[in-house]
Amino acid sequence: MASSHGTVAHLLPPNYKHKISQWLEEDCPDFDYGGFVVGEIDAEAKLLGKSTGLLAGVPFFDEVFHQLGCTVEWHIKEGTYIKPIAHCATVRGPARRLLLGERVALNTLARCSGIATNYSNVIAGTRKTTPGFRLVEKYGMLVGGCDSHRHSLSTMTMLKDNHIAACGSIKAAIHAAKAVGGFSIKVEVECQSEDEANEAIEAGADVVMLDNFEGVSVGGVAKRLKEKWGRGTFLVEVSGGLTEENVKNGYLTDDVDVVSTSSIHQGVSHVDFSLKIVKRDVDGALTN
């Protein structure tokens, strides 16, 4: 998994900070009436983990409050499995600014942690992510130990049935993709049958996806492809309607290299967090 080789946060591009600015603007596009009520008094808030799960999304949470002039002190390391009630972090700053960042920060942390929690490293994700939130969801996959798969149309050429239909043949589509992508962009072809997979490999595909194959047959197909064309010359991916439960029904074999599913990031349960401002006593001092 990625975290065993380094810090996952070091993968983030500079533009993620711009995304967070947009999220804050979306949540408060005009007057902040609740913020007026509490003002700029110095405050302290506890981030509490209220359900079990893997903590993920720390850099996004940090940046929300950094942009608002607050500080975050973490008490639990990202990638740690938490149980309720866990005091994960302490956030300090003007009360109005703590509340400005609260919902954006919690939403991001809850979603990212939910994705990190739900699946093991035998499964890869897909590009079927939430618009505008792909970076967070892919980040959660990596913290959780999954393969995040391709991040965009620019990171790998995946030729699906519509590409093949528009181009006329698998061979023609692959040759066009290779011509423009060169040696640095892998080409994957979605195949509906063993014959299509053979055609794709012969034409130079780097990866063949066996799409919506039954678990009882996919292992045999993958084995025949590897025996015919040679192991190590291409990868076999299986996809289509897979979950962590049914993937064990014949899909995990020595000849299947990648098992991918959008269930990693679609329909997962969020990890519940809350941000609680510490009350003050009659003299204005913080009380625990």
PDB file of all heavy atoms in Angstrom, residues 64-83:
ATOM      1  N   VAL A  64      -8.518  23.682   5.088  1.00  0.00           N
ATOM      2  CA  VAL A  64      -9.739  24.457   5.335  1.00  0.00           C
ATOM      3  C   VAL A  64      -9.489  25.483   6.429  1.00  0.00           C
ATOM      4  O   VAL A  64      -9.764  26.684   6.278  1.00  0.00           O
ATOM      5  CB  VAL A  64     -10.911  23.529   5.729  1.00  0.00           C
ATOM      6  CG1 VAL A  64     -12.082  24.356   6.274  1.00  0.00           C
ATOM      7  CG2 VAL A  64     -11.374  22.697   4.542  1.00  0.00           C
ATOM      8  N   PHE A  65      -8.938  25.022   7.538  1.00  0.00           N
ATOM      9  CA  PHE A  65      -8.760  25.925   8.680  1.00  0.00           C
ATOM     10  C   PHE A  65      -7.547  26.833   8.509  1.00  0.00           C
ATOM     11  O   PHE A  65      -7.524  27.953   9.024  1.00  0.00           O
ATOM     12  CB  PHE A  65      -8.698  25.114   9.973  1.00  0.00           C
ATOM     13  CG  PHE A  65     -10.031  24.573  10.371  1.00  0.00           C
ATOM     14  CD1 PHE A  65     -10.317  23.221  10.261  1.00  0.00           C
ATOM     15  CD2 PHE A  65     -11.034  25.425  10.817  1.00  0.00           C
ATOM     16  CE1 PHE A  65     -11.565  22.722  10.597  1.00  0.00           C
ATOM     17  CE2 PHE A  65     -12.290  24.940  11.153  1.00  0.00           C
ATOM     18  CZ  PHE A  65     -12.558  23.591  11.044  1.00  0.00           C
ATOM     19  N   HIS A  66      -6.544  26.390   7.752  1.00  0.00           N
ATOM     20  CA  HIS A  66      -5.405  27.256   7.464  1.00  0.00           C
ATOM     21  C   HIS A  66      -5.871  28.489   6.694  1.00  0.00           C
ATOM     22  O   HIS A  66      -5.434  29.617   6.975  1.00  0.00           O
ATOM     23  CB  HIS A  66      -4.352  26.490   6.655  1.00  0.00           C
ATOM     24  CG  HIS A  66      -3.214  27.351   6.201  1.00  0.00           C
ATOM     25  ND1 HIS A  66      -2.217  27.796   7.060  1.00  0.00           N
ATOM     26  CD2 HIS A  66      -2.913  27.862   4.964  1.00  0.00           C
ATOM     27  CE1 HIS A  66      -1.361  28.539   6.387  1.00  0.00           C
ATOM     28  NE2 HIS A  66      -1.753  28.599   5.117  1.00  0.00           N
ATOM     29  N   GLN A  67      -6.754  28.289   5.719  1.00  0.00           N
ATOM     30  CA  GLN A  67      -7.252  29.416   4.926  1.00  0.00           C
ATOM     31  C   GLN A  67      -8.087  30.380   5.750  1.00  0.00           C
ATOM     32  O   GLN A  67      -8.253  31.544   5.378  1.00  0.00           O
ATOM     33  CB  GLN A  67      -8.061  28.897   3.735  1.00  0.00           C
ATOM     34  CG  GLN A  67      -7.221  28.184   2.689  1.00  0.00           C
ATOM     35  CD  GLN A  67      -7.961  27.912   1.397  1.00  0.00           C
ATOM     36  OE1 GLN A  67      -8.999  28.507   1.119  1.00  0.00           O
ATOM     37  NE2 GLN A  67      -7.426  27.004   0.588  1.00  0.00           N
ATOM     38  N   LEU A  68      -8.588  29.897   6.876  1.00  0.00           N
ATOM     39  CA  LEU A  68      -9.411  30.732   7.753  1.00  0.00           C
ATOM     40  C   LEU A  68      -8.625  31.294   8.935  1.00  0.00           C
ATOM     41  O   LEU A  68      -9.200  31.907   9.838  1.00  0.00           O
ATOM     42  CB  LEU A  68     -10.611  29.926   8.251  1.00  0.00           C
ATOM     43  CG  LEU A  68     -11.613  29.524   7.163  1.00  0.00           C
ATOM     44  CD1 LEU A  68     -12.626  28.529   7.707  1.00  0.00           C
ATOM     45  CD2 LEU A  68     -12.325  30.749   6.599  1.00  0.00           C
ATOM     46  N   GLY A  69      -7.310  31.067   8.938  1.00  0.00           N
ATOM     47  CA  GLY A  69      -6.471  31.614   9.994  1.00  0.00           C
ATOM     48  C   GLY A  69      -6.532  30.861  11.307  1.00  0.00           C
ATOM     49  O   GLY A  69      -6.251  31.434  12.370  1.00  0.00           O
ATOM     50  N   CYS A  70      -6.878  29.580  11.249  1.00  0.00           N
ATOM     51  CA  CYS A  70      -6.945  28.739  12.456  1.00  0.00           C
ATOM     52  C   CYS A  70      -5.801  27.720  12.436  1.00  0.00           C
ATOM     53  O   CYS A  70      -5.165  27.500  11.409  1.00  0.00           O
ATOM     54  CB  CYS A  70      -8.279  28.008  12.520  1.00  0.00           C
ATOM     55  SG  CYS A  70      -9.725  29.107  12.509  1.00  0.00           S
ATOM     56  N   THR A  71      -5.572  27.090  13.559  1.00  0.00           N
ATOM     57  CA  THR A  71      -4.551  26.044  13.661  1.00  0.00           C
ATOM     58  C   THR A  71      -5.199  24.723  14.048  1.00  0.00           C
ATOM     59  O   THR A  71      -6.236  24.696  14.717  1.00  0.00           O
ATOM     60  CB  THR A  71      -3.477  26.399  14.700  1.00  0.00           C
ATOM     61  OG1 THR A  71      -4.098  26.501  16.000  1.00  0.00           O
ATOM     62  CG2 THR A  71      -2.792  27.717  14.356  1.00  0.00           C
ATOM     63  N   VAL A  72      -4.566  23.625  13.613  1.00  0.00           N
ATOM     64  CA  VAL A  72      -5.066  22.284  13.930  1.00  0.00           C
ATOM     65  C   VAL A  72      -3.947  21.473  14.571  1.00  0.00           C
ATOM     66  O   VAL A  72      -2.842  21.390  14.033  1.00  0.00           O
ATOM     67  CB  VAL A  72      -5.570  21.556  12.672  1.00  0.00           C
ATOM     68  CG1 VAL A  72      -6.120  20.177  13.045  1.00  0.00           C
ATOM     69  CG2 VAL A  72      -6.624  22.376  11.938  1.00  0.00           C
ATOM     70  N   GLU A  73      -4.231  20.902  15.716  1.00  0.00           N
ATOM     71  CA  GLU A  73      -3.295  20.003  16.401  1.00  0.00           C
ATOM     72  C   GLU A  73      -3.894  18.597  16.390  1.00  0.00           C
ATOM     73  O   GLU A  73      -4.958  18.368  16.975  1.00  0.00           O
ATOM     74  CB  GLU A  73      -3.061  20.456  17.839  1.00  0.00           C
ATOM     75  CG  GLU A  73      -2.130  19.547  18.624  1.00  0.00           C
ATOM     76  CD  GLU A  73      -2.035  19.920  20.095  1.00  0.00           C
ATOM     77  OE1 GLU A  73      -2.684  20.914  20.502  1.00  0.00           O
ATOM     78  OE2 GLU A  73      -1.333  19.200  20.845  1.00  0.00           O
ATOM     79  N   TRP A  74      -3.220  17.673  15.712  1.00  0.00           N
ATOM     80  CA  TRP A  74      -3.738  16.305  15.607  1.00  0.00           C
ATOM     81  C   TRP A  74      -3.251  15.449  16.766  1.00  0.00           C
ATOM     82  O   TRP A  74      -2.081  15.513  17.150  1.00  0.00           O
ATOM     83  CB  TRP A  74      -3.315  15.680  14.272  1.00  0.00           C
ATOM     84  CG  TRP A  74      -4.086  16.252  13.123  1.00  0.00           C
ATOM     85  CD1 TRP A  74      -3.731  17.294  12.318  1.00  0.00           C
ATOM     86  CD2 TRP A  74      -5.398  15.849  12.700  1.00  0.00           C
ATOM     87  NE1 TRP A  74      -4.725  17.570  11.410  1.00  0.00           N
ATOM     88  CE2 TRP A  74      -5.759  16.703  11.619  1.00  0.00           C
ATOM     89  CE3 TRP A  74      -6.294  14.865  13.117  1.00  0.00           C
ATOM     90  CZ2 TRP A  74      -6.982  16.580  10.959  1.00  0.00           C
ATOM     91  CZ3 TRP A  74      -7.506  14.748  12.465  1.00  0.00           C
ATOM     92  CH2 TRP A  74      -7.847  15.594  11.400  1.00  0.00           C
ATOM     93  N   HIS A  75      -4.146  14.634  17.282  1.00  0.00           N
ATOM     94  CA  HIS A  75      -3.815  13.706  18.360  1.00  0.00           C
ATOM     95  C   HIS A  75      -3.792  12.264  17.865  1.00  0.00           C
ATOM     96  O   HIS A  75      -3.333  11.372  18.578  1.00  0.00           O
ATOM     97  CB  HIS A  75      -4.830  13.844  19.499  1.00  0.00           C
ATOM     98  CG  HIS A  75      -5.059  15.265  19.922  1.00  0.00           C
ATOM     99  ND1 HIS A  75      -4.034  16.095  20.325  1.00  0.00           N
ATOM    100  CD2 HIS A  75      -6.203  16.017  19.974  1.00  0.00           C
ATOM    101  CE1 HIS A  75      -4.524  17.285  20.631  1.00  0.00           C
ATOM    102  NE2 HIS A  75      -5.838  17.267  20.425  1.00  0.00           N
ATOM    103  N   ILE A  76      -4.295  12.051  16.660  1.00  0.00           N
ATOM    104  CA  ILE A  76      -4.324  10.720  16.044  1.00  0.00           C
ATOM    105  C   ILE A  76      -3.767  10.835  14.634  1.00  0.00           C
ATOM    106  O   ILE A  76      -4.117  11.756  13.894  1.00  0.00           O
ATOM    107  CB  ILE A  76      -5.761  10.153  16.015  1.00  0.00           C
ATOM    108  CG1 ILE A  76      -6.282   9.956  17.438  1.00  0.00           C
ATOM    109  CG2 ILE A  76      -5.819   8.838  15.244  1.00  0.00           C
ATOM    110  CD1 ILE A  76      -7.721   9.463  17.512  1.00  0.00           C
ATOM    111  N   LYS A  77      -2.918   9.914  14.248  1.00  0.00           N
ATOM    112  CA  LYS A  77      -2.255   9.945  12.945  1.00  0.00           C
ATOM    113  C   LYS A  77      -3.185   9.455  11.838  1.00  0.00           C
ATOM    114  O   LYS A  77      -3.987   8.540  12.037  1.00  0.00           O
ATOM    115  CB  LYS A  77      -1.005   9.063  12.995  1.00  0.00           C
ATOM    116  CG  LYS A  77      -0.149   9.089  11.742  1.00  0.00           C
ATOM    117  CD  LYS A  77       1.072   8.196  11.910  1.00  0.00           C
ATOM    118  CE  LYS A  77       1.918   8.179  10.645  1.00  0.00           C
ATOM    119  NZ  LYS A  77       3.107   7.288  10.798  1.00  0.00           N
ATOM    120  N   GLU A  78      -3.087  10.086  10.663  1.00  0.00           N
ATOM    121  CA  GLU A  78      -3.863   9.630   9.509  1.00  0.00           C
ATOM    122  C   GLU A  78      -3.536   8.169   9.202  1.00  0.00           C
ATOM    123  O   GLU A  78      -2.388   7.745   9.265  1.00  0.00           O
ATOM    124  CB  GLU A  78      -3.544  10.494   8.284  1.00  0.00           C
ATOM    125  CG  GLU A  78      -4.383  10.153   7.064  1.00  0.00           C
ATOM    126  CD  GLU A  78      -4.238  11.177   5.953  1.00  0.00           C
ATOM    127  OE1 GLU A  78      -3.112  11.286   5.404  1.00  0.00           O
ATOM    128  OE2 GLU A  78      -5.219  11.860   5.644  1.00  0.00           O
ATOM    129  N   GLY A  79      -4.591   7.411   8.848  1.00  0.00           N
ATOM    130  CA  GLY A  79      -4.418   5.988   8.590  1.00  0.00           C
ATOM    131  C   GLY A  79      -4.663   5.122   9.806  1.00  0.00           C
ATOM    132  O   GLY A  79      -4.643   3.893   9.718  1.00  0.00           O
ATOM    133  N   THR A  80      -4.951   5.755  10.944  1.00  0.00           N
ATOM    134  CA  THR A  80      -5.240   5.033  12.182  1.00  0.00           C
ATOM    135  C   THR A  80      -6.719   4.659  12.233  1.00  0.00           C
ATOM    136  O   THR A  80      -7.584   5.451  11.861  1.00  0.00           O
ATOM    137  CB  THR A  80      -4.897   5.895  13.408  1.00  0.00           C
ATOM    138  OG1 THR A  80      -3.505   6.228  13.371  1.00  0.00           O
ATOM    139  CG2 THR A  80      -5.204   5.161  14.710  1.00  0.00           C
ATOM    140  N   TYR A  81      -7.001   3.470  12.703  1.00  0.00           N
ATOM    141  CA  TYR A  81      -8.388   3.012  12.869  1.00  0.00           C
ATOM    142  C   TYR A  81      -8.902   3.545  14.200  1.00  0.00           C
ATOM    143  O   TYR A  81      -8.313   3.295  15.254  1.00  0.00           O
ATOM    144  CB  TYR A  81      -8.455   1.493  12.837  1.00  0.00           C
ATOM    145  CG  TYR A  81      -9.851   0.952  12.613  1.00  0.00           C
ATOM    146  CD1 TYR A  81     -10.375   0.851  11.328  1.00  0.00           C
ATOM    147  CD2 TYR A  81     -10.643   0.546  13.682  1.00  0.00           C
ATOM    148  CE1 TYR A  81     -11.656   0.363  11.110  1.00  0.00           C
ATOM    149  CE2 TYR A  81     -11.922   0.065  13.475  1.00  0.00           C
ATOM    150  CZ  TYR A  81     -12.421  -0.035  12.186  1.00  0.00           C
ATOM    151  OH  TYR A  81     -13.688  -0.505  11.983  1.00  0.00           O
ATOM    152  N   ILE A  82      -9.986   4.301  14.143  1.00  0.00           N
ATOM    153  CA  ILE A  82     -10.512   4.920  15.362  1.00  0.00           C
ATOM    154  C   ILE A  82     -11.804   4.254  15.812  1.00  0.00           C
ATOM    155  O   ILE A  82     -12.533   3.654  15.019  1.00  0.00           O
ATOM    156  CB  ILE A  82     -10.763   6.437  15.158  1.00  0.00           C
ATOM    157  CG1 ILE A  82     -11.834   6.669  14.088  1.00  0.00           C
ATOM    158  CG2 ILE A  82      -9.473   7.156  14.814  1.00  0.00           C
ATOM    159  CD1 ILE A  82     -12.290   8.119  13.984  1.00  0.00           C
ATOM    160  N   LYS A  83     -12.062   4.361  17.110  1.00  0.00           N
ATOM    161  CA  LYS A  83     -13.319   3.892  17.695  1.00  0.00           C
ATOM    162  C   LYS A  83     -13.920   5.036  18.489  1.00  0.00           C
ATOM    163  O   LYS A  83     -13.202   5.842  19.077  1.00  0.00           O
ATOM    164  CB  LYS A  83     -13.063   2.682  18.607  1.00  0.00           C
ATOM    165  CG  LYS A  83     -12.537   1.450  17.877  1.00  0.00           C
ATOM    166  CD  LYS A  83     -12.321   0.285  18.832  1.00  0.00           C
ATOM    167  CE  LYS A  83     -11.812  -0.946  18.098  1.00  0.00           C
ATOM    168  NZ  LYS A  83     -11.607  -2.097  19.012  1.00  0.00           N
TER     169      LYS A  83
END
